[in-house]
Structure formats: C-alpha cells, structure tokens
Amino acid sequence: MNTSRLTRMILVLALAASGAAQAADDSASDSDKIEAYREMISDGNPAEFDEMRGEELWKKPAGPKNASLEKCDLGKGAGVVKGAYAALPRYFKDTKKVQDLESRLLTCMTTLQGIPEADITAKPFASDKKPSDISSLATYVVGQSKGMKMAVSTKHPKEKEAYEIGKRIFNYRAGPYDFACSTCHATSDVRIRMQDLPNFNVKADAQSAYSSWPAYRVSQGLTRSFQWRLNDCFRQQRFPEPKFASEATVALTMYLAVSANGADYAGPGLKR
Amino acid sequence: MGNPMKIRASVKDGVTEVKVLMQHEMETGLRKEADGTLVPAWFITEVKAQHQGRTVLEAQYGQSISKNPYLLFRFKGGAVGEKVTVTWMDNKGDTRTDEAAIAA
Amino acid sequence: MNAKQLFGIAVSVCLASVTFSAQAGSKDDKKLDAKTTEIIKRDFRDKGIAKADRVNQDELQAACSKYLDDVPDKLKGKLEAAQAKEIKWPADGKYMGDWKAGEKLAQSGRGMTWSDKPEDTPGGNCYNCHRLSAKEIAYGTIGPSLLNYGKKRGTKEEVQRSVYGHIYNAKAYNACANMPRFGHMGILTEAQIKDLVALLLDPESPVNPKDASAAAK
C-alpha cells in the first residue's frame, strides 16, 4: 500500500464518519463507523466498473479461436452465470477436478478461446498499471450471485477430499514465523494492529468474511479477486507464493467456502 | 474522453437524490514509483451537474479526493424521466459528460 | 442370557464399532495428510526472498499442525526441551540493550515476506499482536498486553534471561505458541533481542510508564 493512498483513505473515512455522526452515536466504535461509511457508499462501489469490464470481456470474442466465453460452463450449464459463484468451488466432469471460479475461468479461456495458460497465469492480478482480464471476469461472475445463498457441495468424493485437504492447509504451520492461516483466523475477537480478524471456526465470522470477497480495496484502488486474497495472506504468512489457481489454493477456498455455506452472498464487496 | 460514470438519480417528495461514481485515477502528483520517479499529477478539478439545463451543483475537486470518486447530492425539484447531466474536467484538460434519467 | 448380559454385549458391539471407525478414520486421515503435504510441496514456488522450501516443516511445526496446536503433554515437554536446548544465550552474559532501539524495532512490521528486499532489516512485528506502550493505539490483540510488563517483574537477572529466552524461542516455553521464534529462525540478531528485552524491562521504557494514570489503563 502506498502512503499517499492510505492517507487519503483515512481522510475519506474521517469525512464519511463525520457525515454520519448525526445518525451514529459519538461513542460508536471504529468498525461501526466503517460500517456507516459502507452504507453511505453502498451504491458507489467502484467494483461496478470492474464488473462492467468483466461483462464485456465475457461477451466479446477473443483469443486465437476468436470466441467469447458465452459457452463457458461454470457448473450451471454452458453460459449460465447467474448463481454460479454461490455454488463454487465444485467438481467438474470434463476436467475431473474440483475448481474454484478463477481456475474454471482459466479452463474456459484456454479451451474456448485458445489463450495459452502461461499468458494468463503470468500476471493474474490487477495492478496500478494494468487491469487483469481473468480478475475482471471473476468480478462480473460473482456480481451475478449477489443476494443468493452460498451452497457449496461436498457430496462428490473429490469435493469432500478438497474440503479435507483445505482444512489441513488452513492449519499447516511453516515458514520462518511458524504461521498457519489458523494462527490469526481461529480465535474470536482478536485483531492484528487495528484490523479485526475473522475466526473461520465460527460460522457467522466465516460467512461475513467469505461472502464479502472479491472486493474493491479503497487503499489500493483496485478490485481484488479471491485468489488474490489468498495470495496476499500467504505473503503475510511469510510463505512462498502459491501458484495461481493451483490445487492447494482451490482446496483452501473449498474449505473456506463450505465454512461460509448458508450466507447471503454479498460481493463484490468494499474494503478499506 | 475519460471512462463512463455511473449515475443514479431518484426523486422523492420533490427532492432529487443523485449518486455519481466517476472513474478517474486521481493521482496526487506526490506519489513515487518503486524506482523513485514521481507519478505526474492527474486529477479532476471541476465537477458540474445540470438538471434540464439548469446548473444544480458546481464543485472544485483536488488531490485529496480518492481514486474513482463517489459523489452524492440532492436538489429541490426534478420529475421522473427528466435528465440529470454530470460533467467533470481534469487538470490535463480532459472532460467527460454522462447523463441519467430520474427514476421514482 | 439375561437382559443385563445382552445389554453388555450391545455396549461392547457399540464400542467395537466406534473403535473400528476411528481406526478407519485415522487411515483416511493419514492418506489425506500425505496428499496435503504432496500438494503443498508442489503448489508453492520461490518469490523474492521467500523460497519454496519454506513450506518444509520442522518437527515442531509438523506436530503443532497435526494436533491443531494442542499436542499431548508428553510430546509437548519433549518438543519444548528440544527447542530450549538450541537457545544461544549471549556470550557476554548481558541481556538488556537499548529500549529506544527496541521500540523502533517493535513498531516495524516488515520482514521475511516475498515483497521485502534482502537488504531490508526485519522488524520485530511486536505491535502487530501485543499492546506495549500506553500512547500507541494501533496494537494487535493476538498476544497478551505487555503494558507494565517490567513494572510487575523488576529487572532481576533471571527475569531478563527469561524474557530473552521467550523472544529468542517462545516455543521452548510453550511448544505451539503463536509467537515466532525470533532468534531460532534467524529473524532478529542477538543485539536486537537485547533491545527488545530492554523495551520490556527498562524502567525508562514506555512499556513501564511512571505516570499512574497511564499505568492503570
């Protein structure tokens, strides 16, 4: 995060908080103030621009095969986007793999459009300089599950296996700091510096955390995908980098998504 | 040219509420690249909103406003179906205008 | 056969089936454990200073992961003793450095990530998890508050030595503690750990405010 953006964000938060002061009690906690800020700008989430970009990319013929993604099967049948994200990750017969949204988009972009996989995975995340097609596509797809109940299945043995492996990755301590995901995300009501941490062993926490990603990060001015979220967690965990859309990341996503089952999906979200 | 804005306008009890989301980098001119070079300033300087040809809001913007600015304002009057037009100008002389019909 | 005997058989059948399923479970668990390790070793790669081999667990990390940080007492003792044996105590027998340098170090959350440069000095990351001074409000709560730490304990040599040991290797005292092993893993130098000991114990340090109202908080 660059400092000038952070400073500006704090200013915006401060302005928003003062604007909401009549409604909110003076003693309202910081997280209440942030909640009020979210409410005020609920129709102003810049993630919408990324959704628009993603929708265009979904419908526009591209790649060596000059095809759109309108025949991409995200689990609800070819071309069905509505509600697809609320049931991902899931097992796909054609690839014989459990896939999350981004790994499935990768499959569609390589098979339907003929784009080489390495071209996509080399820079899968958006930056200041350049948006990411796969990330914008993901933003578009998740937006089409807004308000729907998260219902990720573990019926297929491969889905169950992915869940079990994901749980183990969640608790896997390694690296110079001995950190696992669970070091920060298995205790309630704790924070790192000023940041509240969700406890993924508690349903309500898991639901509100998972269902608000992907999200627009005000401090970065970018919409961030779920694969990015995991990638940056592992960075802070002092791990090496997880490969984009790898089995490890999909399994972990499976574990987190199932923990959030029953939530009303609320993404794309808005974060500090 | 700039990228399109999202504008939502709705009228209730004779007051129109307008929500505008603009796409703009809003570079302060103070930020540095990793290699130390300064990122040039590039930000919206002026925003103007009109209702049926009448200016209902004029604002001066600057570096302290975040990337992809969001603006919410209300004005007296307006009827369903009438147009609200929003224009921004930036320090490079670029400008963008979008409009939306007032909803119920 | 009377009813009591019948009941006894039913209970033992139940017990047997419970034992059986637990065994079957552990066989599955072992398979899943092995597959998880295989996937992790394959799916992480070098980036910057964070090399792929960081996912290889040492004995302690493996045990804490396996038992979800709740290792059986006997193993816990064994792990702690093994960690304690590897603590390198300062050769000069001094444990306290400069609290001002310690405070700077405690504030820094840098270090060891793939976005940190090799020439950057890792920080202590202390405020990420602990409250230390009364005036710093941006502190984490994963670890206990350390405000007034030295006031409560004084600066006797055994206290200094214990604090040094905890920062050098927290796992020598509590095998699956959340806290990193700053000395053991080569994150902080001996001199830096001494500075942190001073931050916690020095009566002049902001951790031990003289002002009673600050101390009461």
Side-chain angles (χ1 to χ4, degrees):
Chain A
M1 186 190 312
N2 68 62
T3 324
S4 71
R5 282 242 164 85
L6 178 66
T7 316
R8 279 188 291 161
M9 182 194 69
I10 291 166
L11 273 172
V12 170
L13 280 174
L15 288 171
S18 62
Q22 293 133 316
D25 186 51
D26 272 355
S27 63
S29 73
D30 289 341
S31 47
D32 287 345
K33 283 178 188 161
I34 290 168
E35 205 46 56
Y37 168 64
R38 280 203 189 115
E39 179 62 38
M40 278 178 72
I41 62 171
S42 59
D43 274 329
N45 187 344
E48 281 187 36
F49 296 127
D50 207 39
E51 283 184 73
M52 279 161 57
R53 183 173 185 272
E55 186 173 4
E56 264 180 58
L57 287 166
W58 180 266
K59 291 173 178 165
K60 198 178 72 190
K65 294 188 182 172
N66 199 35
S68 80
L69 290 169
E70 286 166 303
K71 288 204 171 95
C72 178
D73 183 357
L74 298 170
K76 301 266 175 203
V80 181
V81 179
K82 199 98 203 147
Y85 186 65
L88 285 172
R90 67 186 296 153
Y91 177 76
F92 287 89
K93 273 190 197 145
D94 56 350
T95 54
K96 297 190 178 62
K97 278 197 289 195
V98 174
Q99 296 186 285
D100 69 342
L101 173 58
E102 282 156 273
S103 68
R104 190 61 189 171
L105 286 169
L106 189 60
T107 299
C108 288
M109 291 166 88
T110 51
T111 56
L112 298 174
Q113 299 183 313
I115 302 171
E117 184 173 318
D119 287 6
I120 305 163
T121 56
K123 279 212 178 298
F125 306 128
S127 73
D128 271 3
K129 305 272 173 301
K130 206 172 174 286
S132 148
D133 289 353
I134 195 163
S135 182
S136 297
L137 282 161
T139 312
Y140 163 59
V141 173
V142 305
Q144 299 295 308
S145 285
K146 209 179 183 85
M148 295 185 177
K149 279 249 180 304
M150 291 289 315
V152 176
S153 156
T154 49
K155 282 203 190 94
H156 192 282
K158 290 272 187 197
E159 291 169 346
K160 178 77 184 151
E161 187 190 68
Y163 171 84
E164 286 294 335
I165 290 169
K167 187 164 142 188
R168 283 162 174 77
I169 295 173
F170 184 81
N171 293 302
Y172 189 92
R173 299 186 73 164
Y177 282 14
D178 305 323
F179 285 170
C181 305
S182 59
T183 309
C184 289
H185 293 293
T187 312
S188 291
D189 303 321
V190 292
R191 53 174 215 238
I192 188 156
R193 279 275 175 164
M194 291 302 272
Q195 180 65 48
D196 290 327
L197 297 164
N199 175 359
F200 274 91
N201 295 336
V202 170
K203 191 94 188 161
D205 270 24
Q207 288 180 329
S208 67
Y210 188 86
S211 67
S212 57
W213 282 93
Y216 182 83
R217 290 289 294 264
V218 179
S219 55
Q220 300 172 351
L222 291 168
T223 306
R224 293 306 200 177
S225 69
F226 201 73
Q227 281 278 331
W228 178 87
R229 175 63 281 174
L230 293 185
N231 181 281
D232 202 54
C233 280
F234 280 119
R235 182 184 67 82
Q236 293 176 57
Q237 210 176 312
R238 274 75 184 179
F239 266 47
E241 186 179 42
K243 293 178 188 165
F244 179 75
S246 59
E247 193 176 352
T249 59
V250 173
L252 182 54
T253 304
M254 187 69 170
Y255 175 65
L256 301 174
V258 170
S259 305
N261 262 347
D264 290 323
Y265 181 66
L270 189 64
K271 308 269 176 185
R272 62 169 176 86
Chain B
M1 256 307 284
N3 287 315
M5 289 175 244
K6 279 229 161 187
I7 305 171
R8 293 181 182 86
S10 61
V11 62
K12 201 184 161 192
D13 302 330
V15 175
T16 300
E17 183 175 86
V18 186
K19 294 170 173 176
V20 189
L21 188 60
M22 300 163 231
Q23 283 192 80
H24 203 284
E25 287 299 320
M26 301 298 287
E27 278 296 345
T28 60
L30 302 171
R31 196 165 69 90
K32 282 176 182 159
E33 297 282 8
D35 65 7
T37 56
L38 215 56
V39 182
W42 180 28
F43 55 88
I44 294 173
T45 52
E46 233 181 293
V47 178
K48 199 171 165 180
Q50 291 190 308
H51 166 241
Q52 306 283 92
R54 176 175 73 107
T55 299
V56 289
L57 176 128
E58 266 181 314
Q60 291 179 350
Y61 269 37
Q63 291 109 310
S64 63
I65 291 170
S66 78
K67 178 175 174 172
N68 298 329
Y70 176 60
L71 171 69
L72 186 154
F73 65 93
R74 298 182 186 94
F75 65 89
K76 265 191 189 153
V80 174
E82 289 177 356
K83 295 271 178 355
V84 173
T85 309
V86 180
T87 301
W88 58 248
M89 258 177 283
D90 71 20
N91 67 327
K92 289 187 184 174
D94 195 8
T95 178
R96 169 95 206 177
T97 301
D98 288 282
E99 64 171 30
I102 299 173
Chain C
M1 191 188 297
N2 64 30
K4 205 169 167 187
Q5 275 173 320
L6 195 64
F7 178 71
I9 289 169
V11 167
S12 43
V13 168
C14 281
L15 283 176
S17 72
V18 165
T19 320
F20 175 74
S21 67
Q23 270 169 354
S26 73
K27 212 176 184 181
D28 274 0
D29 279 352
K30 275 208 182 111
K31 245 172 84 183
L32 284 162
D33 288 346
K35 185 142 192 206
T36 303
T37 311
E38 185 193 313
I39 288 171
I40 288 179
K41 289 196 173 165
R42 187 196 62 205
D43 286 353
F44 285 81
R45 64 175 172 211
D46 293 355
K47 185 161 184 181
I49 59 168
K51 303 300 175 201
D53 64 8
R54 284 190 182 184
V55 301
N56 297 337
Q57 294 175 314
D58 67 12
E59 187 195 12
L60 180 111
Q61 291 170 336
C64 293
S65 303
K66 184 178 169 192
Y67 292 102
L68 305 180
D69 296 339
D70 192 16
V71 290
D73 284 348
K74 210 174 139 193
L75 177 58
K76 188 169 184 279
K78 226 181 87 189
L79 290 167
E80 286 163 4
Q83 295 293 313
K85 237 171 68 188
E86 302 214 2
I87 298 179
K88 276 203 201 81
W89 299 101
D92 61 3
K94 293 199 174 75
Y95 301 104
M96 274 179 41
D98 171 13
W99 70 260
K100 284 180 186 141
E103 168 66 8
K104 254 175 124 172
L105 209 52
Q107 284 281 3
S108 168
R110 298 221 78 77
M112 296 280 169
T113 74
W114 70 60
S115 51
D116 289 306
K117 294 184 189 75
E119 65 271 21
D120 292 345
T121 321
N125 283 269
C126 310
Y127 278 100
N128 284 4
C129 297
H130 295 287
R131 183 176 197 202
L132 288 135
S133 70
K135 63 173 188 234
E136 175 57 75
I137 56 158
Y139 58 87
T141 58
I142 297 169
S145 169
L146 302 174
L147 188 57
N148 298 317
Y149 190 91
K151 253 195 211 167
K152 292 172 190 158
R153 291 168 182 82
T155 52
K156 278 183 301 216
E157 193 183 318
E158 60 188 87
V159 175
Q160 291 182 28
R161 187 178 161 91
S162 159
V163 173
Y164 186 95
H166 273 86
I167 300 171
Y168 190 96
N169 190 343
K171 272 78 171 183
Y173 303 84
N174 180 6
C176 297
N178 285 329
M179 185 159 135
R181 296 170 278 178
F182 289 102
H184 184 87
M185 289 301 216
I187 302 161
L188 298 177
T189 63
E190 181 180 299
Q192 287 176 314
I193 297 175
K194 287 180 174 182
D195 292 340
L196 291 173
V197 175
L199 177 67
L200 286 176
L201 298 179
D202 196 312
E204 297 302 316
S205 146
V207 169
N208 305 308
K210 292 191 181 74
D211 170 16
S213 65
K217 273 177 200 164

